[in-house]
Amino acid sequence: PQNLGALIRSAHFLSSSLQSNDDDNSNSSIGIVVCGKNSAPPSPVVSAASAGALEIASMYSTSNLPKLLAKAQEDGFRIVGASSSVPTQQQSSWISTEYQPEPPKLYELQDLSPISNEDATILVLGSEGRGLRTLVAKGCTEYVRIPGGNTEGDDDGVDSLNVSVSGGILLWHLLHGK
């Protein structure tokens, strides 16, 4: 619940800063979609961790995230999955479609292009333990990893960030390109 609250807080904060810097008041908003069966439900703990942003953020719920991502892809959304690598099953089972003629690429954060005013984008975050679920990963059009940590597989370092920290970093980069 604390991670969800922190993500809601970050999304609301970054959306507000984007709107205040937007000269033409175009469609610069952030909506938050949670999967009803794999996410913490709204609660007082989530609200407290969000510093009240839960009550004013644009929140949506789905019971079938892979289906939502497939429809979003059909509608032209860019779907960026946070992952340290392209999921193995994604590579081996990829099939060319009208909406995605090439296999998804994995970008280092600094190489990922930020959102333009024309891009409808979904950022997908998985669980800290398992990452993106297989069917959710298949719905992504590209992947991004945040470089750093223990990438050599040794047991002497931290190999990942907290999901709310990763989400904040990725949102900042996608919105501001820095």
Side-chain angles (χ1 to χ4, degrees):
Q2 288 87 355
N3 282 335
L4 177 58
L7 283 164
I8 294 167
R9 181 179 184 169
S10 295
H12 180 71
F13 177 85
L14 292 170
S15 176
S16 297
S17 69
L18 182 66
Q19 290 172 356
S20 67
N21 292 330
D22 192 3
D23 294 333
D24 63 2
N25 277 339
S26 64
N27 250 349
S28 49
S29 64
I30 296 177
I32 301 155
V33 178
V34 295
C35 187
K37 56 185 175 181
N38 296 314
S39 297
S43 69
V45 173
V46 173
S47 180
S50 76
L54 172 64
E55 285 74 20
I56 53 178
S58 298
M59 296 282 299
Y60 308 92
S61 180
T62 181
S63 60
N64 191 333
L65 188 56
K67 185 175 180 180
L68 180 136
L69 295 177
K71 176 66 174 139
Q73 195 175 114
E74 287 176 18
D75 292 343
F77 277 73
R78 173 186 182 197
I79 305 169
V80 181
S83 183
S84 60
S85 63
V86 175
T88 306
Q89 289 187 329
Q90 175 76 355
Q91 292 172 325
S92 64
S93 65
W94 178 81
I95 298 171
S96 177
T97 67
E98 173 186 349
Y99 309 108
Q100 190 171 359
E102 296 181 19
K105 294 180 182 174
L106 174 67
Y107 294 95
E108 296 289 321
L109 179 64
Q110 66 273 14
D111 299 326
L112 183 70
S113 60
I115 297 170
S116 71
N117 284 340
E118 296 82 38
D119 287 339
T121 302
I122 296 173
L123 174 61
V124 184
L125 305 171
S127 69
E128 288 183 23
R130 296 184 192 161
L132 299 172
R133 294 182 353 251
T134 302
L135 293 177
V136 171
K138 285 184 178 185
C140 297
T141 59
E142 59 195 273
Y143 299 97
V144 62
R145 71 178 291 276
I146 300 171
N150 178 16
T151 57
E152 302 302 319
D154 299 330
D155 289 334
D156 62 352
V158 176
D159 66 352
S160 66
L161 293 169
N162 172 285
V163 69
S164 66
V165 173
S166 294
I169 291 169
L170 292 167
L171 278 172
W172 176 261
H173 178 82
L174 284 168
L175 295 171
H176 299 282
K178 299 175 184 176

